[in-house]
Every structure is written in C-alpha cells, then in structure tokens.
Amino acid sequence: MSEIVEIIDTLESRLQKLFNKIDQLEQTSAQLKEELQKATTVIQQQSKDMDVLKKQYESLKITNSLLGSEENKRDTKLKINSLIREIDYCIAQLSD
C-alpha cells in the first residue's frame, strides 16, 4: 500500500511541476506577444517616416535642379512636362 502512496505523491509532484511550467510558458508567451506588437508598431512608424523622408528627398532634388544644379535637371524637366500635360488636360476638360 505504501508503494501506491509513493507513486501517487510522485505523480502529484510531477503534475504540480508540469502546471508550474505551463504557467511559466504562458507568461513568457504573453511577454513575447507584447514585444512583437511593440516591434511591429515601431516598424510601421519607421516605414511611414521613411516614406516622408523619400518624398522630402525628391522635393529637394527638384528644388536643387530649379536652382541651377545640373545633377537632377533631366528629372526636373520630366516632372515639369508631366505637370504641364496634366494642366493642359484639365483645361481641355473645363473647355468642354
């Protein structure tokens, strides 16, 4: 009979350790999910910032070309021609 009691005690001890390990893993999982959410938010913000900086860079390139810089003159001419075509299209639409 004492063997059965020992087996039951050992089993209870192992089950308690198992439940403790499960609780610990659930806590770790929750922490990792929170860290992942924070990292995702940071990545999204940095992506938005990068898009804004790209647009500013393009504007600066065009401004530089308008001020006489030879580096981006072709791009600026193409952009101006594109804008002129859009304006002509709008005028034509308004004339109808």
Side-chain angles (χ1 to χ4, degrees):
M1 189 72 167
S2 68
E3 284 183 24
I4 294 176
V5 172
E6 285 182 32
I7 292 173
I8 291 174
D9 287 344
T10 305
L11 191 58
E12 285 178 349
S13 173
R14 288 182 179 178
L15 280 173
Q16 186 61 40
K17 287 180 181 178
L18 184 61
F19 288 137
N20 289 340
K21 188 68 173 177
I22 288 172
D23 288 341
Q24 184 183 25
L25 289 173
E26 286 176 347
Q27 288 176 356
T28 303
S29 176
Q31 289 172 345
L32 290 173
K33 284 179 183 178
E34 186 178 328
E35 287 179 26
L36 178 62
Q37 181 62 34
K38 287 179 183 178
T40 302
T41 303
V42 168
I43 289 171
Q44 289 173 346
Q45 183 60 43
Q46 288 177 343
S47 178
K48 289 177 186 176
D49 292 345
M50 192 168 71
D51 289 340
V52 168
L53 289 173
K54 282 181 182 178
K55 288 177 184 176
Q56 288 176 349
Y57 174 71
E58 289 300 319
S59 295
L60 286 172
K61 278 180 22 180
I62 291 171
T63 303
N64 248 356
S65 296
L66 291 174
L67 293 174
S69 173
E70 294 293 326
E71 294 176 21
N72 303 313
K73 206 170 205 173
R74 181 179 180 279
D75 292 338
T76 304
K77 285 181 181 179
L78 291 174
K79 182 69 173 174
I80 291 172
N81 286 338
S82 172
L83 291 171
I84 289 172
R85 272 189 251 112
E86 286 182 35
I87 291 170
D88 287 344
Y89 176 77
C90 290
I91 291 172
Q93 293 294 320
L94 289 173
S95 295
D96 293 339

